[in-house]
Amino acid sequence: LLKNSMSAVVERHFAEDPNKVWTRDNLPPISVVFAEGKEDVAIKISDRGGGIPRSGMNRLWTYSFTTAGNTAEKMKELEDDKRGSKAIMAGFAHGLPLSRIHARAFGGDLQVMSMQGHGTDVYVYLWKLGDREVAVP
């Protein structure tokens, strides 16, 4: 989830001004908040990476949808890289669905709220009492 936020922030700002040297000092920060309640632990990750279009929100949980470019092109890049020097870590459309499955396996959930043109907030809830039986899909 943090990698998604970092990628979105860097890609958005680089696209706005590709000639600028972007560093952690001039990129907007990613906020991570941990909150412990009586029943669960909540984690909120907020970024200013431009958000996800509303038209893509209902497809976030599918294994074929990515906001990080064309998956087939990324696979071709990896296949063509004979020396193994490419480190492509985004665009395979597995991160969000698998993260939600893991959260649910611990009796919690994962929710995404996004504002296109601004950024995305991701909420992870993990049940902490250990007294729930959880069916993993």
Side-chain angles (χ1 to χ4, degrees), residues 105-124:
F106 288 98
D109 203 2
L110 187 148
Q111 298 174 354
V112 176
M113 300 295 293
S114 191
M115 294 172 40
Q116 188 176 18
H118 179 72
T120 302
D121 292 342
V122 176
Y123 299 86
V124 180

Side-chain angles (χ1 to χ4, degrees), residues 27-46:
L27 287 168
I30 296 166
S31 168
V32 180
V33 177
F34 293 86
E36 182 178 9
K38 289 183 180 181
E39 298 178 350
D40 62 12
V41 173
I43 305 165
K44 176 184 175 187
I45 301 170
S46 301

Side-chain angles (χ1 to χ4, degrees), residues 3-121:
K3 180 203 55 75
N4 287 357
S5 288
M6 289 186 283
S7 294
V9 168
V10 169
E11 289 170 11
R12 175 190 186 190
H13 290 85
F14 182 79
E16 287 178 358
D17 190 353
N19 297 318
K20 185 173 182 174
V21 176
W22 292 102
T23 68
R24 66 180 179 171
D25 297 323
N26 59 8
L27 287 168
I30 296 166
S31 168
V32 180
V33 177
F34 293 86
E36 182 178 9
K38 289 183 180 181
E39 298 178 350
D40 62 12
V41 173
I43 305 165
K44 176 184 175 187
I45 301 170
S46 301
D47 69 54
R48 289 186 276 164
I52 301 164
R54 286 180 55 87
S55 61
M57 291 298 290
N58 62 344
R59 297 182 297 162
L60 281 181
W61 310 113
T62 65
Y63 290 100
S64 61
F65 178 73
T66 179
T67 59
N70 186 304
T71 301
E73 289 175 11
K74 291 181 186 305
M75 291 300 292
K76 176 112 174 74
E77 283 181 49
L78 288 174
E79 289 171 8
D80 293 345
D81 182 23
K82 303 295 185 215
R83 296 182 317 196
S85 60
K86 294 232 184 236
I88 299 173
M89 293 189 58
F92 296 104
H94 292 101
L96 281 175
L98 287 175
S99 295
R100 185 167 75 167
I101 286 172
H102 282 92
R104 289 180 173 176
F106 288 98
D109 203 2
L110 187 148
Q111 298 174 354
V112 176
M113 300 295 293
S114 191
M115 294 172 40
Q116 188 176 18
H118 179 72
T120 302
D121 292 342

Side-chain angles (χ1 to χ4, degrees), residues 117-136:
H118 179 72
T120 302
D121 292 342
V122 176
Y123 299 86
V124 180
Y125 301 96
L126 302 173
W127 186 254
K128 72 176 194 177
L129 298 180
D131 61 354
R132 282 188 181 172
E133 289 190 24
V134 180
V136 178

